[in-house]
Amino acid sequence: MPRKYNTQRKLHVKKGDYVRVIAGNEKGKEGKILVVYPKKERVLIEGVNERIHHTKPNQTHPEGGRISQAVPIHVSNVQPLDENGDPTRVGRKWVEEADTGKGQWVRYAKTTGSELDD
């Protein structure tokens, strides 16, 4: 059943994470997430899933021709890397600061238990 009130999508990755592709044609490649599209549940990773587009001459490319451009892939096909460089599943835990008493949700790696958020 789809969400009725809070339609915000909770993704296990965010911009700046280093991830490994675990499925598809680009399986095994690693890179940094450049853009996250939460409504489409897709991510754009540098150096992964690049396609060639043919363009007419314009100001940015006066010659035109074939230009390599990265294309987003589905978020379920990537896993973030833990501190050892291995792909890991992601958990969330509530962490409170001792001096202020305020807390926040933090993502952590299931393999090592280390926090993924800085």
Side-chain angles (χ1 to χ4, degrees):
M1 183 173 196
R3 292 183 181 201
K4 193 170 184 181
Y5 300 108
N6 184 5
T7 58
Q8 180 184 9
R9 303 248 187 349
K10 294 287 186 187
L11 302 180
H12 62 283
V13 292
K14 66 181 188 177
K15 181 179 175 179
D17 284 351
Y18 285 93
V19 295
R20 181 179 297 165
V21 180
I22 59 170
N25 293 338
E26 306 290 319
K27 182 176 180 178
K29 289 189 178 181
E30 296 179 2
K32 182 179 177 183
I33 293 183
L34 301 175
V35 183
V36 177
Y37 302 102
K39 288 187 178 179
K40 295 181 181 180
E41 294 185 355
R42 293 185 171 268
V43 291
L44 188 68
I45 306 169
E46 66 178 351
V48 176
N49 201 26
E50 298 213 344
R51 300 287 184 254
I52 294 179
H53 294 277
H54 297 78
T55 62
K56 290 183 176 182
N58 55 32
Q59 282 187 335
T60 55
H61 304 287
E63 295 292 318
R66 297 160 45 107
I67 296 168
S68 181
Q69 185 177 8
V71 179
I73 63 174
H74 199 267
V75 73
S76 66
N77 294 333
V78 300
Q79 278 189 333
L81 301 177
D82 61 8
E83 56 194 16
N84 300 332
D86 300 324
T88 180
R89 291 178 298 138
V90 175
R92 296 183 196 287
K93 62 182 175 182
W94 182 258
V95 176
E96 288 189 11
E97 296 181 20
D99 54 343
T100 61
K102 294 187 177 182
Q104 63 182 358
W105 287 101
V106 176
R107 297 180 307 141
Y108 71 95
K110 293 264 188 158
T111 54
T112 60
S114 62
E115 293 182 2
L116 297 175
D117 296 330
D118 295 332

XYZ file of all heavy atoms in Angstrom, residues 3 5 7 16 22-23 26 28 49 53 55-57 62 65 71 75-77 79-80 88 96 99 101 105 110 116-117:
223
model
N 2.305 5.061 0.541
C 2.188 5.994 1.654
C 1.087 6.993 1.374
O 0.926 7.453 0.254
C 3.492 6.742 1.852
C 4.587 5.866 2.344
C 5.818 6.686 2.582
N 6.881 5.809 3.047
C 7.923 6.233 3.709
N 8.067 7.499 3.988
N 8.845 5.392 4.096
N 0.299 9.871 3.646
C 0.563 11.223 4.102
C 1.998 11.663 3.830
O 2.240 12.673 3.222
C 0.243 11.360 5.585
C -1.208 11.050 5.877
C -1.583 9.893 6.521
C -2.206 11.920 5.461
C -2.903 9.606 6.768
C -3.536 11.647 5.698
C -3.879 10.485 6.350
O -5.193 10.211 6.580
N 5.008 11.273 1.784
C 5.441 10.648 0.539
C 6.945 10.758 0.328
O 7.435 10.427 -0.739
C 4.719 11.286 -0.658
O 4.992 12.684 -0.670
C 3.230 11.048 -0.584
N 27.353 12.050 -2.372
C 28.681 12.019 -1.780
C 29.119 10.645 -1.308
O 30.296 10.448 -1.014
N 25.938 -3.471 -7.733
C 25.843 -4.898 -7.412
C 25.022 -5.684 -8.424
O 24.953 -6.900 -8.347
C 25.247 -5.096 -6.005
C 23.861 -4.477 -5.904
C 26.175 -4.542 -4.954
C 23.121 -4.846 -4.646
N 24.405 -4.991 -9.400
C 23.599 -5.695 -10.392
C 23.567 -4.902 -11.686
O 23.734 -3.682 -11.684
C 22.176 -5.895 -9.879
N 26.782 -2.829 -15.360
C 27.919 -2.150 -14.743
C 28.338 -2.794 -13.431
O 29.011 -2.171 -12.609
C 27.571 -0.675 -14.500
C 27.082 0.057 -15.718
C 28.179 0.287 -16.746
O 29.306 0.612 -16.346
O 27.898 0.147 -17.941
N 30.031 -4.383 -10.353
C 31.401 -4.381 -9.884
C 32.073 -3.031 -9.932
O 33.105 -2.825 -9.292
N 27.770 3.706 -16.031
C 26.614 3.731 -16.930
C 26.678 4.927 -17.878
O 25.728 5.678 -18.020
C 25.311 3.750 -16.125
C 24.135 3.276 -16.948
O 24.289 2.512 -17.893
N 22.959 3.740 -16.601
N 25.915 10.251 -26.632
C 24.837 11.029 -27.237
C 25.408 11.816 -28.413
O 26.502 12.377 -28.322
C 24.237 11.997 -26.216
C 23.530 11.312 -25.091
N 22.246 10.874 -25.182
C 23.952 10.969 -23.851
C 21.890 10.293 -24.053
N 22.918 10.331 -23.219
N 25.258 15.032 -30.690
C 24.750 16.392 -30.550
C 25.114 17.219 -31.763
O 26.156 17.007 -32.400
C 25.329 17.078 -29.303
O 26.744 17.158 -29.443
C 24.965 16.329 -28.047
N 24.271 18.179 -32.050
C 24.562 19.160 -33.083
C 25.549 20.178 -32.517
O 25.660 20.322 -31.304
C 23.274 19.882 -33.497
C 22.307 19.022 -34.254
C 21.122 19.852 -34.677
C 20.169 19.048 -35.525
N 19.031 19.881 -35.975
N 26.232 20.913 -33.364
C 27.116 21.967 -32.850
C 26.333 23.020 -32.067
O 25.257 23.437 -32.470
C 27.706 22.575 -34.121
C 27.596 21.506 -35.134
C 26.364 20.733 -34.794
N 31.280 23.347 -29.979
C 31.187 23.946 -31.308
C 31.326 22.935 -32.440
O 30.774 23.123 -33.515
C 32.350 24.942 -31.340
C 32.883 25.026 -29.984
C 32.348 23.890 -29.190
N 29.064 16.368 -32.426
C 29.618 15.019 -32.454
C 29.115 14.139 -31.327
O 28.043 14.353 -30.776
N 24.350 8.215 -17.166
C 22.905 8.043 -17.098
C 22.576 7.448 -15.723
O 23.307 6.587 -15.225
C 22.419 7.110 -18.222
C 20.926 6.899 -18.172
C 22.820 7.663 -19.576
N 18.380 2.809 -7.621
C 19.052 2.829 -6.324
C 19.187 1.419 -5.734
O 20.091 1.172 -4.930
C 18.321 3.793 -5.366
C 17.014 3.224 -4.913
C 19.178 4.160 -4.185
N 18.341 0.490 -6.127
C 18.422 -0.864 -5.582
C 19.621 -1.625 -6.129
O 19.971 -2.681 -5.605
C 17.146 -1.642 -5.911
O 17.035 -1.839 -7.310
N 20.269 -1.102 -7.168
C 21.418 -1.777 -7.765
C 22.750 -1.312 -7.199
O 23.795 -1.681 -7.719
C 21.419 -1.565 -9.283
C 20.237 -2.231 -9.936
O 19.700 -3.207 -9.428
N 19.808 -1.707 -11.056
N 25.176 -0.432 -3.503
C 25.357 -0.541 -2.054
C 26.519 0.347 -1.645
O 27.545 0.374 -2.328
C 25.660 -1.980 -1.632
C 24.443 -2.853 -1.506
C 24.786 -4.193 -0.879
O 25.902 -4.671 -0.992
N 23.808 -4.796 -0.237
N 26.373 1.084 -0.539
C 27.494 1.919 -0.090
C 28.653 1.065 0.420
O 28.464 -0.092 0.809
C 26.880 2.744 1.035
C 25.681 2.005 1.464
C 25.201 1.215 0.296
N 27.998 -2.857 1.829
C 27.298 -3.173 3.062
C 25.843 -2.758 2.984
O 25.486 -1.868 2.214
C 27.965 -2.462 4.261
O 27.253 -2.784 5.442
C 27.940 -0.964 4.081
N 22.122 10.113 20.532
C 21.948 11.340 21.313
C 23.296 11.855 21.775
O 24.178 11.070 22.130
C 21.059 11.073 22.532
C 19.612 10.865 22.200
C 18.750 10.816 23.437
O 19.259 11.148 24.527
O 17.581 10.436 23.319
N 25.994 15.857 26.099
C 25.976 17.176 26.725
C 24.703 17.964 26.422
O 24.196 18.675 27.269
C 27.206 17.985 26.314
C 27.361 18.079 24.804
O 26.729 17.277 24.101
O 28.118 18.957 24.342
N 21.725 16.546 24.920
C 20.515 15.731 25.021
C 19.733 15.642 23.729
O 18.718 14.968 23.663
N 18.895 10.727 13.760
C 19.030 9.425 13.135
C 20.321 9.403 12.336
O 20.636 10.320 11.596
C 17.844 9.136 12.221
C 16.598 8.824 12.969
C 15.556 9.653 13.209
C 16.274 7.582 13.593
N 14.593 9.026 13.942
C 15.006 7.737 14.192
C 16.909 6.363 13.712
C 14.382 6.713 14.891
C 16.278 5.346 14.406
C 15.042 5.524 14.982
N 26.050 -2.210 8.324
C 25.702 -3.436 9.042
C 26.906 -4.361 9.202
O 26.961 -5.154 10.135
C 24.597 -4.173 8.287
C 23.273 -3.446 8.259
C 22.382 -3.938 9.350
C 20.990 -3.347 9.182
N 19.982 -4.128 9.835
N 27.997 5.829 8.753
C 28.236 6.289 7.396
C 28.104 7.795 7.278
O 28.703 8.417 6.409
C 27.266 5.615 6.420
C 27.391 4.105 6.294
C 26.291 3.573 5.397
C 28.745 3.738 5.731
N 27.317 8.416 8.166
C 27.143 9.862 8.146
C 28.270 10.511 8.931
O 28.686 10.023 9.983
C 25.794 10.263 8.748
C 24.645 9.740 7.927
O 24.808 9.591 6.706
O 23.567 9.478 8.500
